[in-house]
Amino acid sequence: MDTDMDTDHAAPTTPRALATEAVHAGREDLAGLGLHAPPLDLSTTYPSYDSRGEAARIDAFAAEGALDDGPPVYARLGNPTVGRFETALARLEGTESAVAFASGMAALSAVLLVRGSMGLRHVVAVRPLYGCSDHLLDAGLLGTEVTWVDPAGIADAIRPDTGLVVVESPANPTLAEVDLRAVAHSCGSVPLLADNTFATPVLQRPAGSGATLVLHSATKYLGGHGDVLGGVVACTEEFARKLRQVRFATGGVLHPFAGYLLLRGLSTLPVRMRAASETAVELVRRLRDDPRVGRVHYPRIGGAMVAFETAGDPHEVIAAVRLITPAVSLGSVDTLIQHPASISHRIVDAGDRRSSGVGDRLLRMSVGLEDVDDLWDDLDRALSAAEPTRAGTVRPRSRTAG
């Protein structure tokens, strides 16, 4: 039985490549346990015959958020399988700790609650952000007040009660990038939260550029197969202790089976990201050469996300794809496409949405692991179906590439 409460497996004594860490982090003790695959611990509670000792450990957690190396107590406090995922993700992001939650939005909410509990309810944020993150901040649902700025305006927007600066780079859905090192400098002593969902630690490690907190919707690339919900914040151990207290109090825990799937997903993350990115680059080349497509958005650091503006009706493109899946979310092994203005960013005020680059003709595509020519054939047909007609005739489709 894997009973280590915080699953604090020893880090390697010498640096290892990210691909190696992805496979081995959080699993170093398995051979000593006589295991090869990580165990899945589904217990909600654990026996304890030392009630005094258990009470003292719970008191310590309540006071400091610290987890010792004793046996687990209760699933809302922590779970060994989830702990393995947290250990692995922290190592991939280069942080001391990580704390997992039931979803990416639960993770962001916990960060806001931690800062708000300290009287630091003001947030400085840069658009675009994921639509629900934007809404959570803008609506003040957790008692926060937000000031929206361009990256150059961050320093001037910081107030005595500013508790957090929030950026997403590359951003959802326009793939706009910010200079994380410059932004971190502008933040001064205010923590910078960088949403790294699109890039993953394969492409960038925000903590190395000065970010205090690194947020992931683990539902996306970390899981990688469209079958798990989760969120995680990589951070210092000091901040992690506060996050664990909020998680315990609010109950936004990650289910152990989700933790198991996410740990498994990390092992193939570098391979999946690199393969999907290679296909994305080729699709970007073809889209940029196609007269049926307007502007194409693709980040300098690369990745598997592509956004493009159609000359024709984007809704017709959505309706016409057959191999590509028209669905929300991203980061799966299969390619997904969606219309942000109608779905992921519908909840954002239309004026704010458009001013941040999320236009009505913009489509967001998460490139999967299919063959590039098969994907292009599907896009080619869908783009032709969306072209404006003249006298009832569809304009001939262009096959400028592929």
Side-chain angles (χ1 to χ4, degrees):
M1 171 69 74
D2 179 17
T3 58
D4 184 8
M5 186 61 179
D6 62 1
T7 323
D8 186 19
H9 308 297
T13 55
T14 57
R16 301 192 299 202
L18 184 134
T20 303
E21 288 282 40
V23 173
H24 290 280
R27 306 165 178 85
E28 287 85 356
D29 65 330
L30 293 183
L33 295 172
L35 300 173
H36 181 233
L40 170 58
D41 188 335
L42 293 171
S43 298
T44 57
T45 192
Y46 299 85
S48 174
Y49 295 94
D50 180 10
S51 57
R52 291 186 184 89
E54 187 168 72
R57 295 173 62 224
I58 293 174
D59 286 347
F61 176 83
E64 301 178 4
L67 295 175
D68 61 25
D69 58 0
V73 177
Y74 183 58
R76 187 154 48 86
L77 204 152
N79 172 269
T81 304
V82 172
R84 290 183 179 277
F85 165 65
E86 292 171 330
T87 296
L89 192 277
R91 290 247 278 282
L92 291 182
E93 283 290 4
T95 60
E96 291 178 338
S97 299
V99 183
F101 295 86
S103 69
M105 291 308 301
L108 175 59
S109 296
V111 173
L112 295 174
L113 288 171
V114 166
R115 300 303 283 166
S117 70
M118 303 169 68
L120 302 171
R121 299 184 179 277
H122 179 242
V123 177
V124 176
V126 176
R127 280 187 171 124
L129 294 174
Y130 168 53
C132 287
S133 299
D134 187 309
H135 177 67
L136 179 64
L137 295 175
D138 209 40
L141 295 175
L142 296 179
T144 55
E145 176 190 353
V146 63
T147 299
W148 297 102
V149 296
D150 292 327
I154 288 174
D156 290 339
I158 290 175
R159 311 184 321 207
D161 64 336
T162 302
L164 197 66
V165 175
V166 179
V167 300
E168 183 176 7
S169 182
N172 188 348
T174 66
L175 304 174
E177 295 171 275
V178 300
D179 184 335
L180 290 174
R181 195 172 298 278
V183 167
H185 179 75
S186 298
C187 293
S189 61
V190 177
L192 169 63
L193 181 147
D195 189 327
N196 202 32
T197 299
F198 277 18
T200 80
V202 175
L203 299 181
Q204 69 179 7
R205 292 172 137 191
S209 296
T212 311
L213 307 158
V214 182
L215 174 70
H216 286 272
S217 172
T219 306
K220 313 305 194 294
Y221 287 107
L222 302 190
H225 293 76
D227 56 6
V228 59
L229 283 174
V232 63
V233 179
C235 56
T236 63
E237 173 58 21
E238 180 182 5
F239 204 98
R241 292 182 178 193
K242 296 181 176 67
L243 288 173
R244 293 184 196 115
Q245 289 177 311
V246 168
R247 182 177 64 182
F248 177 72
T250 60
V253 297
L254 183 70
H255 190 275
F257 187 56
Y260 178 87
L261 291 176
L262 289 173
L263 181 64
R264 187 179 68 171
L266 289 184
S267 63
T268 60
L269 176 64
V271 176
R272 287 186 285 106
M273 282 298 294
R274 288 168 185 144
S277 298
E278 182 178 335
T279 300
V281 168
E282 176 59 19
L283 291 176
V284 165
R285 184 186 71 80
R286 300 184 190 191
L287 287 167
R288 283 176 173 162
D289 288 341
D290 198 306
R292 299 165 298 179
V293 176
R295 185 179 179 187
V296 179
H297 305 256
Y298 191 67
R300 290 188 302 274
I301 65 169
M305 297 300 301
V306 178
F308 59 96
E309 298 163 18
T310 62
D313 186 344
H315 299 284
E316 294 300 322
V317 176
I318 294 290
V321 292
R322 292 296 177 265
L323 176 66
I324 298 169
T325 303
V328 299
S329 199
L330 56 106
S332 184
V333 290
D334 62 316
T335 300
L336 308 177
I337 194 168
Q338 64 117 324
H339 184 243
S342 297
I343 308 296
S344 63
H345 289 70
R346 185 70 176 178
I347 201 168
V348 179
D349 175 81
D352 293 333
R353 188 170 67 229
R354 294 187 183 108
S355 66
S356 62
V358 188
D360 293 337
R361 291 189 180 274
L362 184 73
L363 292 174
R364 188 194 74 187
M365 184 167 62
S366 168
V367 178
L369 302 182
E370 302 95 337
D371 180 83
V372 65
D373 290 322
D374 289 333
L375 289 173
W376 179 249
D377 285 345
D378 198 36
L379 275 177
D380 181 43
R381 286 189 295 269
L383 288 168
S384 290
E387 285 190 285
T389 60
R390 292 180 181 176
T393 302
V394 177
R395 289 185 295 180
R397 64 184 182 181
S398 169
R399 291 191 65 99
T400 58

